[in-house]
C-alpha cells in the first residue's frame, strides 16, 4: 500500500458568504486536518476552491477537476464539496452534482447519513449525493464544519479503495484476498460500531430488477402499423452512457413522457427573455415585435394640405372680423399661383379676391382656408400665350371653411402613440407605413434569435450528392426543409438561419464538437438537430447534452404522434466578449422527416415567438374545421394529422382534407399541407363531416 502514489483530494467550499470573504470559511482547515489525521497517509495535500451557491459555478469547478484527464494535469481522485446540501432556498449543491455523476454511489450516502444519525436526528436534514464522474469520486458533505468532518470521517477509510477502482485499477487485483483483506487494509471491520461499521457494510450488490406489472401500455393501434414494444419498461436495464455499448444501455427511454402542452410550457419557461434593440426602419423589419410604445416624431401632414386637385380660396369666415365684408366665393377669380405637391417651397399668401391652383397633397397658401375641387370650376380665360389659365370661374357658393383641407396632425398627431408595445410588424405594410410616415427611423424592437440547423447520422447524405445512393444512404431532407420553415416564419435574424451541415454519429465526439463550435462561432441562440434521439446505440444527442456539454434535458419524450422522442435541453455557455453567462437552447427533433417538420412547428415556433416578444402567442393559430373523409384516431397519443384546409366555396366554412398516408418518414405528407389536424387521443374514427381543431401552418387555401 505504501508504494501507492498519494491520492489527490480536492475540496470545494460552496458558500455565498465564504465566496464573498474567504476568511470566514472554517470548513477547509478542519477537512484538511481530517485528511491528515484520519487518512492513514494515503492523501496528498487537498486543493481547494470556493464558489457561491450557484449551480453553474459548482459544476464548472467540479468539471475542471474531473474532466481534465487529457490535459495532462492529472485527474483528482476525490472531490469533496461542503455546503449547500440542506433545504434553504439557496441550497443547490446536490442539484449541481447529480447531473455530473455518471454512476451513483448510494452506499456512500447511506454510510454518511447513518453516521450522522448516531450524532443527531438532524442528519435527516442533509441531502447528500455521491458517485463517480469519469475516474473521480464525488461526495457532497454538509456545510457545518462539524457535520462535514463527521461525514468525512465516516467514509474516509473506505475511499482509497473506491478511488483506486474508479481510477481504473483492475478490480481482480484489488479484491484478491477477499473482503476481509479489504477491511483490514482500510482499517475497518464489519463488526465495528457506529459510523465505521455502517460504512463498512461493503455491499457488492448488483441492481435488482423489480418486476412491476404496470399495464400502462395498452395494445392495438389502427391505421398503418406502428412499432410497439411487448415488454414492460420496468423489466429493462437502464443506462444512457454511450460508452457502455449496445449491450448495457437503456432499452427504454428513462425520460418521463410529457403532454404537448406541458412540453410547450417547459420551453417557454426556459426560453430567454426578449432583449430590446434599435433597428433601422427598412422593409427587413417584417416579423419584429415593437419593444415599447412608439410616439410620432412628426405630425402628418406637417402643413395644411389639399385633399383634392382644385383651387385654394379664402371663403368668408363668419368668425373672423376681417372677413365681415367679403362676398361669397362664387364667380370668376384670377389664378395667382400654382401649388404642386413638392418639397422645395411654400406658395405665397393670397390677396383677397385671388385663388391659387393646387394639387392633391400640396400645401395651401398660408391664408387660404378652403379648396374648391376642380370639378366645381370652369376655365374663364387663358393667359396671352394661351399656355395657362388666367381666370377661373367657381361654380358654387357652398364652399365652407376648412373644406377639402387636411389639417396639420390630422392623420397623425405629433407625439401620439402610433404602435404599441407587442405589435408585430407584418409583411402587409401597415406598420412599416405608419412608422415611416411619422418620421421614425430607429425602431425599438425585440431581438430576433439566431438558429442553426444540424442533421445527424452517418447515413445522412447532402442533397448535392450525385447519385446513385448506395448502402443505407438517405438524402438529408430535414435540413433544407427546416431551414425554409424557419425563414418563412420571419422570426429569426435575416442571416440568422444557419446551416450547420451534418454531424456523423461516429467518430464519437463529432456531435459534441460541432454543437460547441456552432454556439461559439456563429452567435446562435438555438440549435435544432434532427435524428439521434431514438433508442439506438448511435442516438447520442441526450447523452452528449447531459454528459459532455453539462446541459440539462428538460424533456426527452412527448406524448404525440409523430414526434415522441422530441427533446428539449439547455446548455450553459460563456459569452467570450462580455464574460456574461447565458444558456443556449437545443431542440433535438426526431430524424424522421415528417416528425421533424411537425415538431418544429409545435415546439420551436413557440420558443422563437416568446424570444421575439410575442408573449400572448404560443404556437400555431387554432381553427375549427370540418373533416372531409373519415380519419382514424390513435388511442395512445394525440396525432397531428397533416391536412389541407381550404374554404368551402358554398358556405365559406373551413374544410380539411387529409394528405394521405401519415407514416413519420413520409415527408410528402407535408407537401401541400397547410395545417395539422389535432386528432383526439381515442379509439375509432373521426367521421366524414365531423368537427375537429386544426393548427394552421400556412395560409388558408382559397384566399
Ligand atoms: P434517428 O432518430 O437518427 O434514428 O433517425 C430516424 C430516421 O430518420 C432514420 O430512418 C434516419 O435515417 C432518418 N433521418 C435522420 N436524419 C434525417 C435527415 N436529415 N433527413 C432525412 N431523414 C433523416
Ligand atoms: Mg441517426
Amino acid at each position: 500500500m505504501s508504494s501507492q502514489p498519494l491520492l489527490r483530494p480536492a475540496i470545494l467550499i460552496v458558500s455565498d458568504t465564504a465566496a464573498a470573504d474567504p476568511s470566514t470559511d472554517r470548513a477547509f482547515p478542519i477537512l484538511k486536518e481530517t485528511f491528515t489525521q484520519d487518512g492513514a497517509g494515503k492523501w496528498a495535500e487537498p486543493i481547494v476552491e470556493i464558489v457561491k451557491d450557484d449551480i453553474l459555478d459548482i459544476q464548472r469547478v467540479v468539471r475542471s477537476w474531473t474532466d481534465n484527464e487529457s490535459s495532462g494535469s492529472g485527474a483528482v481522485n476525490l472531490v469533496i464539496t461542503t455546503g449547500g446540501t440542506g433545504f434553504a432556498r439557496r441550497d443547490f449543491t446536490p442539484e449541481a452534482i447529480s447531473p455530473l455523476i455518471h454512476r451513483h454511489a448510494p452506499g456512500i450516502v447511506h454510510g454518511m447519513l447513518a453516521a450522522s444519525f448516531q450524532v443527531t436526528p438532524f442528519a435527516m436534514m442533509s441531502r447528500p449525493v455521491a458517485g463517480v464522474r469519469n475516474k473521480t469520486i464525488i461526495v457532497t458533505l454538509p456545510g457545518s464544519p462539524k457535520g462535514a468532518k463527521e461525514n468525512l470521517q465516516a467514509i474516509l477509510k473506505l475511499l482509497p479503495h473506491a478511488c483506486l477502482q474508479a481510477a481504473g485499477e483492475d478490480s481482480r487485483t484489488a479484491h484478491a484476498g477477499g473482503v476481509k483483506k479489504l477491511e483490514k487494509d482500510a482499517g475497518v471491520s464489519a463488526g465495528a460500531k457506529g459510523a465505521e461499521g455502517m460504512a463498512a457494510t461493503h455491499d457488492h450488490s448488483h441492481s435488482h430488477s423489480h418486476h412491476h406489472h404496470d399495464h400502462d401500455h395498452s395494445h392495438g393501434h389502427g391505421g398503418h402499423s406502428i412499432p410497439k414494444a411487448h415488454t414492460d419498461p420496468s423489466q429493462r436495464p437502464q443506462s444512457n452512457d454511450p460508452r457502455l455499448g449496445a449491450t448495457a444501455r437503456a432499452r427504454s427511454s428513462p425520460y418521463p413522457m410529457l403532454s404537448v402542452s406541458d412540453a410547450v410550457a417547459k420551453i417557454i419557461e426556459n426560453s430567454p427573455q426578449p432583449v430590446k434593440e434599435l433597428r433601422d426602419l427598412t422593409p427587413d423589419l417584417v416579423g419584429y415585435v415593437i419593444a415599447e410604445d412608439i410616439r410620432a416624431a412628426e405630425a402628418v401632414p406637417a402643413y395644411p394640405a389639399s385633399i383634392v386637385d382644385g383651387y385654394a380660396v379664402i371663403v368668408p369666415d363668419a368668425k373672423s372680423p376681417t372677413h365681415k365684408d367679403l362676398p361669397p366665393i362664387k364667380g370668376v377669380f384670377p389664378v395667382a399661383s400654382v401649388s404642386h405637391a413638392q418639397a422645395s417651397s411654400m406658395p405665397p399668401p393670397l390677396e383677397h379676391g385671388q385663388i391659387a391652383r393646387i394639387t392633391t397633397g400640396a400645401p395651401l397658401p398660408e391664408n387660404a382656408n378652403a379648396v374648391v375641387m376642380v370639378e366645381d370650376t370652369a376655365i374663364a380665360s387663358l393667359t396671352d400665350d394661351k399656355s395657362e389659365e388666367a381666370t377661373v370661374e367657381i361654380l358654387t357658393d357652398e364652399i365652407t371653411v376648412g373644406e377639402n383641407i387636411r389639417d396639420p396632425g390630422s392623420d397623425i398627431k405629433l407625439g401620439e402613440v402610433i404602435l404599441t408595445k407587442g405589435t408585430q410588424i407584418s409583411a402587409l405594410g401597415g406598420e412599416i407605413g405608419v412608422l415611416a410616415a411619422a418620421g421614425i427611423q430607429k425602431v425599438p424592437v425585440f431581438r430576433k434569435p439566431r438558429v442553426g440547423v444540424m442533421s445527424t447520422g452517418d447515413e445522412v447524405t447532402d442533397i448535392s450528392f450525385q447519385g446513385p445512393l448506395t448502402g443505407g444512404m438517405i438524402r438529408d431532407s430535414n435540413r433544407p426543409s427546416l431551414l425554409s420553415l424557419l425563414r418563412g416564419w420571419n422570426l429569426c435574424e435575416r442571416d440568422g438561419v444557419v446551416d450547420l451541415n451534418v454531424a456523423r454519429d461516429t467518430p464519437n465526439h463529432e456531435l459534441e464538437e460541432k454543437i460547441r463550435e456552432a454556439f461559439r462561432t456563429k452567435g446562435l441562440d438555438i440549435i435544432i438537430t434532427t435524428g439521434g434521439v431514438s433508442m439506438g446505440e448511435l442516438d447520442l444527442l441526450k447523452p452528449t447534452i447531459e454528459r459532455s456539454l453539462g446541459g440539462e434535458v428538460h424533456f426527452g419524450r412527448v406524448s404525440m404522434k409523430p414526434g415522441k422522442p422530441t427533446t428539449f435541453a439547455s446548455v450553459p455557455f460563456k459569452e467570450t466578449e462580455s464574460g456574461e453567462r447565458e444558456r443556449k437552447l437545443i431542440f433535438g427533433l426526431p430524424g424522421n422527416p415528417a416528425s421533424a417538420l411537425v415538431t418544429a412547428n409545435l415546439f420551436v415556433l413557440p420558443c422563437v415567438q416568446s424570444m421575439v416578444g410575442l408573449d400572448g402567442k404560443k404556437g400555431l393559430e387554432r381553427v375549427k374545421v370540418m373533416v372531409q373523409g373519415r380519419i382514424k384516431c390513435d388511442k395512445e397519443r394525440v396525432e397531428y394529422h397533416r391536412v389541407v384546409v381550404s374554404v368551402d366555396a358554398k358556405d365559406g366554412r373551413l374544410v380539411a382534407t387529409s394528405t394521405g398516408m401519415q407514416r413519420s418518414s413520409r415527408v410528402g405528407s407535408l407537401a401541400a399541407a397547410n395545417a395539422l389536424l389535432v386528432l383526439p387521443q381515442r379509439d375509432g374514427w373521426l367521421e366524414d363531416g365531423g368537427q375537429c381543431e386544426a393548427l394552421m401552418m400556412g395560409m388558408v387555401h382559397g384566399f
Side-chain angles (χ1 to χ4, degrees):
M1 272 285 137
S2 53
S3 63
Q4 289 277 3
L6 292 179
L7 295 163
R8 292 167 48 105
I11 298 176
L12 181 62
I13 314 288
V14 182
S15 156
D16 286 338
T17 324
D21 177 5
S23 72
T24 59
D25 170 56
R26 291 190 301 118
F28 178 64
I30 292 185
L31 292 176
K32 186 174 152 191
E33 189 186 288
T34 309
F35 273 107
T36 322
Q37 284 186 355
D38 304 320
K42 293 180 180 171
W43 301 94
E45 171 109 345
I47 42 179
V48 63
E49 286 225 27
I50 304 181
V51 291
K52 290 198 302 256
D53 287 283
D54 178 288
I55 291 190
L56 293 174
D57 283 348
I58 298 170
Q59 290 183 336
R60 179 177 46 77
V61 178
V62 171
R63 284 160 49 91
S64 77
W65 285 333
T66 56
D67 294 12
N68 63 354
E69 238 181 301
S70 52
S71 75
S73 65
V76 163
N77 295 98
L78 173 68
V79 171
I80 295 287
T81 71
T82 164
T85 59
F87 287 80
R89 237 167 36 82
R90 292 201 35 92
D91 285 340
F92 296 130
T93 309
E95 285 61 46
I97 299 298
S98 279
L100 299 183
I101 287 178
H102 294 154
R103 291 179 290 149
H104 280 271
I108 293 182
V109 172
H110 190 87
M112 291 194 299
L113 288 177
S116 311
F117 213 73
Q118 306 274 330
V119 181
T120 166
F122 274 97
M124 271 189 273
M125 299 293 105
S126 181
R127 309 180 296 117
V129 295
V132 184
R133 178 176 177 82
N134 294 329
K135 296 185 169 179
T136 309
I137 308 261
I138 310 177
V139 180
T140 65
L141 302 181
S144 91
K146 181 169 171 292
K149 177 180 176 181
E150 284 161 3
N151 275 259
L152 181 58
Q153 282 175 327
I155 57 172
L156 189 56
K157 291 190 173 154
L158 300 151
L159 284 173
H161 173 61
C163 286
L164 290 173
Q165 277 201 298
E169 188 190 68
D170 176 57
S171 76
R172 282 242 197 137
T173 333
H175 287 194
V179 174
K180 284 278 170 265
K181 178 166 183 300
L182 285 171
E183 286 175 355
K184 187 161 166 284
D185 288 349
V188 297
S189 72
K193 264 188 67 194
E196 288 179 4
M198 295 304 291
T201 35
H202 193 88
D203 180 2
H204 288 223
S205 67
H206 301 280
S207 63
H208 306 283
S209 59
H210 299 282
H211 295 261
H212 301 299
H213 296 283
D214 335 331
H215 293 286
D216 55 345
H217 287 242
S218 42
H219 300 266
H221 294 269
H224 60 272
S225 67
I226 294 162
K228 163 104 186 76
H230 297 278
T231 54
D232 182 299
S234 67
Q235 298 171 319
R236 307 166 195 156
Q238 306 270 295
S239 168
N240 79 340
D241 185 349
R243 293 169 308 179
L244 297 180
T247 50
R249 58 191 312 283
R251 303 190 86 79
S252 66
S253 174
Y255 297 91
M257 179 95 89
L258 261 56
S259 70
V260 170
S261 56
D262 285 352
V264 171
K266 275 236 181 300
I267 290 169
I268 302 299
E269 187 185 312
N270 287 287
S271 299
Q273 289 300 307
V275 177
K276 275 188 206 179
E277 65 178 12
L278 273 183
R279 292 199 81 86
D280 290 342
L281 179 67
T282 72
D284 292 339
L285 223 49
V286 171
Y288 279 95
V289 175
I290 302 295
E292 57 194 51
D293 288 359
I294 300 182
R295 293 177 179 279
E298 292 163 5
V300 182
Y303 49 81
S306 177
I307 292 175
V308 294
D309 291 328
Y311 296 87
V313 298
I314 302 173
V315 293
D317 183 350
K319 283 190 235 128
S320 164
T322 58
H323 284 194
K324 257 207 306 281
D325 307 325
L326 290 180
I329 187 93
K330 184 178 180 189
V332 176
F333 298 90
V335 179
S337 66
V338 178
S339 172
H340 292 299
Q342 57 166 19
S344 55
S345 63
M346 293 292 281
L350 291 176
E351 304 281 322
H352 284 298
Q354 286 183 336
I355 63 175
R357 196 159 90 219
I358 191 164
T359 57
T360 302
L364 268 75
E366 165 190 300
N367 54 352
N369 61 4
V371 178
V372 184
M373 65 170 74
V374 69
E375 291 83 345
D376 287 337
T377 65
I379 292 179
S381 64
L382 297 178
T383 51
D384 292 344
D385 65 1
K386 307 255 185 290
S387 69
E388 276 291 354
E389 52 204 19
T391 56
V392 161
E393 182 176 6
I394 294 177
L395 305 171
T396 172
D397 61 359
E398 287 166 17
I399 306 298
T400 55
V401 174
E403 191 163 332
N404 293 330
I405 297 174
R406 285 154 63 216
D407 282 331
S410 59
D411 287 354
I412 301 173
K413 273 202 256 330
L414 180 66
E416 141 189 25
V417 173
I418 48 168
L419 288 179
T420 51
K421 179 181 175 183
T423 307
Q424 187 178 25
I425 297 175
S426 75
L428 305 176
E431 299 79 23
I432 290 189
V434 75
L435 290 168
I440 308 295
Q441 289 166 335
K442 296 276 183 196
V443 189
V445 292
F446 292 115
R447 197 170 77 73
K448 285 185 181 179
R450 296 175 60 83
V451 184
V453 178
M454 184 188 296
S455 295
T456 74
D458 286 355
E459 78 282 26
V460 174
T461 308
D462 192 84
I463 49 172
S464 64
F465 176 79
Q466 301 296 310
L469 300 182
T470 54
M473 279 168 116
I474 54 157
R475 299 250 179 216
D476 184 358
S477 63
N478 288 348
R479 236 178 340 129
S481 66
L482 286 172
L483 290 168
S484 84
L485 177 70
L486 290 170
R487 286 203 192 125
W489 287 340
N490 262 326
L491 296 176
C492 299
E493 240 179 42
R494 206 163 130 76
D495 66 343
V497 177
V498 182
D499 186 345
L500 300 177
N501 302 310
V502 186
R504 286 166 302 163
D505 300 323
T506 51
N508 239 331
H509 296 298
E510 185 161 313
L511 183 61
E512 174 192 348
E513 275 153 22
K514 281 221 146 107
I515 290 176
R516 273 190 207 285
E517 164 85 4
F519 275 139
R520 208 178 47 237
T521 61
K522 310 234 187 268
L524 301 175
D525 303 283
I526 301 172
I527 291 179
I528 302 175
T529 66
T530 63
V533 285
S534 329
M535 291 304 301
E537 70 259 36
L538 291 180
D539 289 332
L540 295 173
L541 184 73
K542 287 173 182 125
T544 298
I545 290 169
E546 291 186 322
R547 291 167 178 274
S548 311
L549 297 168
E552 185 183 351
V553 171
H554 301 294
F555 62 81
R557 273 198 305 168
V558 187
S559 176
M560 64 185 295
K561 183 182 156 188
K564 190 164 85 168
T566 303
T567 297
F568 170 65
S570 55
V571 294
F573 179 78
K574 199 159 203 162
E575 271 287 81
T576 38
E577 325 90 72
S578 62
E580 220 168 71
R581 195 186 294 116
E582 30 170 355
R583 291 184 85 76
K584 305 277 187 182
L585 304 180
I586 300 178
F587 285 89
L589 306 185
N592 270 319
S595 315
L597 274 177
V598 168
T599 52
N601 273 291
L602 288 178
F603 300 117
V604 183
L605 178 63
C607 173
V608 292
Q609 283 174 330
S610 131
M611 288 182 75
V612 301
L614 283 171
D615 40 351
K617 206 163 164 166
K618 303 282 177 279
L620 301 169
E621 221 65 74
R622 222 167 246 272
V623 297
K624 278 225 161 56
V625 296
M626 193 182 82
V627 178
Q628 282 184 329
R630 65 203 295 253
I631 299 178
K632 181 101 178 76
C633 297
D634 186 308
K635 78 171 179 204
E636 295 191 351
R637 287 180 280 161
V638 176
E639 180 169 359
Y640 294 86
H641 191 109
R642 281 75 79 193
V643 291
V644 181
V645 168
S646 53
V647 180
D648 186 298
K650 289 195 295 292
D651 57 13
R653 278 197 297 177
L654 297 178
V655 292
T657 317
S658 171
T659 57
M661 205 257 281
Q662 299 283 306
R663 185 189 291 149
S664 56
S665 54
R666 189 177 159 252
V667 69
S669 64
L670 278 131
N674 60 352
L676 300 170
L677 199 63
V678 188
L679 281 181
Q681 176 186 348
R682 66 169 164 85
D683 246 342
W685 298 77
L686 187 61
E687 295 299 338
D688 184 24
Q691 286 263 323
C692 192
E693 285 195 325
L695 298 169
M696 297 306 303
M697 298 183 290
M699 298 275 254
V700 175
H701 286 224
F703 280 141

